Amino acid sequence: MRFSHERLETFLSQFRRLIECESPSSDPRALAASAALVAGIGEELTGVRPRVRTVEGFPHVRFDLGTGPRRILLLGHHDTVWPRGTLASMPFSAENGMVRGPGADDMKGGILIALHAIALLRAFAGEDLLDGVSVLITADEELGSPTSRPLIESLSAGAEAVLVFESGGASGEVKIARKGVAIYEFEAVGRAAHAGVEPEKGVNATVELAHQVLRIAQLGAPELGTSVVPAVVHSGTTTNTVPARGTLAVDSRAESVAEQERVDASLRALTAVVPGARLVLHGGINRPPLEDLSSLPLLGRAQQIAEALDHPPVRPLRVGGGSDANFAAGVGALTLDGLGTVGGGSHADDEHALIEWIPRRVELVAGLLGSLLEDPLPHH
């Protein structure tokens, strides 16, 4: 299966339409327009009319091919971090071998790679082979997937494989491991008093947070890939008032469930140091880790496909940031991420996707999808 020049021209035309349909996560009207566009392009390529499920203003687009039980899920998102109006300073362009514009690498191009891979496989192998394939394009990934997580987990549970279309590495690597993410907020509750007249009657929330910052900073384990970072602190109201309340945000990342649970238990065991102060902990584990045991069987199959296609070798990449792949792996699905565009600059003003990699990625995914459907991997 080869991705022809004509198919690439269609891809780039659709790429422009998707990029120029701005879709910031926080804008329901923009997301609705983007979902409609994804649905229309997807129907053209897959021959299937999708369902758009809107949850709390977030429209998630789902394609189900055939009538058989779900076997493989292709997973992406159409929301971006870029506010409406970004096109004025970051217009779409396709020149010097690169596509630029808001969402080019994260991940409007990834959506198209998934849909074009289905179209390519459909053209060469027929629709029957694709029975049991689903595609889910969500609308809130950049916010942590608050409304789409249950849908992702329900569709991933029991699937033979989940393929995720976040961008790949700069040399075409796929992502086999992602750290799990946990976000916390400590609230320190003290008692206000006049700082000049009777400070001894106060209970200083700022001092309490200072004690906790030093404790929390010691919980990381760099040798295990675990970070625990005391981040944003807010405390007090005026200079002449003993602070009665303060908050401390904490970001934690870990490569294993065991480390996530260790950090979580340690944070919940912290107690107040300043007499009279109280600590209240909010938040918790947001995403489980994508551990490489969930990805290695799929990586091996992808490497075989790339070799058969005479593509550059597919190499693995481990990254710190989370994606929806974490949720898929968290319910036990074999999961491979980073199958989207190859480029760079995600969330930055030099965001771009390399055009030369688009045919390779579509061919790789089509080959991988066909191979998995014809010769399933044993469940891990």
Side-chain angles (χ1 to χ4, degrees):
M1 291 182 292
R2 292 298 178 182
F3 193 64
S4 67
H5 179 73
E6 290 75 18
R7 287 181 182 271
L8 178 59
E9 289 299 309
T10 299
F11 187 110
L12 293 174
S13 173
Q14 293 166 338
F15 208 171
R16 178 171 196 150
R17 291 167 65 197
L18 283 176
I19 288 174
E20 291 185 343
C21 184
E22 294 180 290
S23 54
S25 306
S26 57
D27 189 328
R29 289 183 61 189
L31 289 174
S34 174
L37 181 57
V38 169
I41 291 172
E43 186 172 354
E44 291 174 20
L45 293 171
T46 67
V48 172
R49 178 166 294 179
R51 288 178 281 175
V52 179
R53 180 180 174 188
T54 301
V55 184
E56 298 176 23
F58 296 99
H60 311 307
V61 186
R62 174 178 166 185
F63 302 82
D64 293 306
L65 284 71
T67 58
R70 183 173 309 101
R71 298 182 56 194
I72 298 178
L73 175 65
L74 281 62
L75 183 57
H77 65 88
H78 66 97
D79 62 313
T80 76
V81 298
W82 299 102
R84 197 200 291 252
T86 300
L87 281 168
S89 58
M90 283 176 60
F92 170 88
S93 67
E95 54 191 23
N96 299 320
M98 289 183 284
V99 172
R100 295 184 178 273
D105 202 42
D106 186 18
M107 56 173 291
K108 304 268 174 110
I111 294 170
L112 288 175
I113 287 170
L115 295 172
H116 273 269
I118 289 174
L120 187 62
L121 187 58
R122 182 174 169 232
F124 278 83
E127 293 184 1
D128 290 347
L129 180 63
L130 289 159
D131 190 36
V133 173
S134 291
V135 182
L136 178 64
I137 309 297
T138 67
D140 61 354
E141 193 274 344
E142 298 293 0
L143 300 178
S145 310
T147 71
S148 60
R149 178 176 181 174
L151 186 57
I152 293 165
E153 291 178 334
S154 67
L155 294 178
S156 299
E160 295 170 13
V162 179
L163 307 180
V164 185
F165 289 84
E166 297 287 349
S167 57
S171 299
E173 299 93 339
V174 295
K175 295 172 181 176
I176 65 164
R178 287 181 177 272
K179 290 186 179 182
V181 181
I183 303 295
Y184 300 91
E185 183 183 76
F186 276 93
E187 180 183 4
V189 181
R191 183 170 60 247
H194 195 291
V197 178
E198 45 188 10
E200 69 282 356
K201 291 187 177 181
V203 176
N204 196 315
T206 299
V207 174
E208 179 59 47
L209 289 179
H211 283 288
Q212 300 304 332
V213 164
L214 296 176
R215 288 176 162 186
I216 292 165
Q218 299 304 311
L219 293 177
E223 71 280 4
L224 299 175
T226 304
S227 60
V228 184
V229 178
V232 180
V233 179
H234 294 290
S235 190
T237 53
T238 64
T239 303
N240 61 354
T241 303
V242 174
R245 180 182 178 276
T247 60
L248 165 64
V250 178
D251 178 289
S252 179
R253 314 267 170 150
E255 293 179 357
S256 69
V257 171
E259 273 295 280
Q260 277 195 312
E261 291 176 345
R262 176 189 68 80
V263 172
D264 188 79
S266 298
L267 290 173
R268 295 185 188 283
L270 293 174
T271 56
V273 175
V274 175
R278 287 190 300 115
L279 277 182
V280 182
L281 179 61
H282 306 279
I285 295 170
N286 171 262
R287 295 178 193 262
L290 168 63
E291 300 187 55
D292 58 14
L293 288 177
S294 298
S295 301
L296 290 175
L298 288 168
L299 171 66
R301 185 67 65 89
Q303 290 173 328
Q304 293 171 8
I305 299 298
E307 184 177 3
L309 290 168
D310 199 27
H311 283 190
V314 175
R315 295 191 170 89
L317 188 65
R318 293 170 171 84
V319 295
S323 81
D324 285 337
N326 297 60
F327 296 137
V331 297
L334 288 172
T335 305
L336 187 62
D337 198 357
L339 290 165
T341 47
V342 175
S346 292
H347 299 200
D349 58 10
D350 64 338
E351 183 170 2
H352 64 279
L354 297 174
I355 295 173
E356 70 173 326
W357 276 92
I358 290 171
R360 296 174 189 165
R361 271 309 206 239
V362 175
E363 292 169 2
L364 175 66
V365 174
L368 178 59
L369 187 57
S371 174
L372 293 171
L373 289 166
E374 293 179 328
D375 182 19
L377 290 166
H379 199 273
H380 70 133

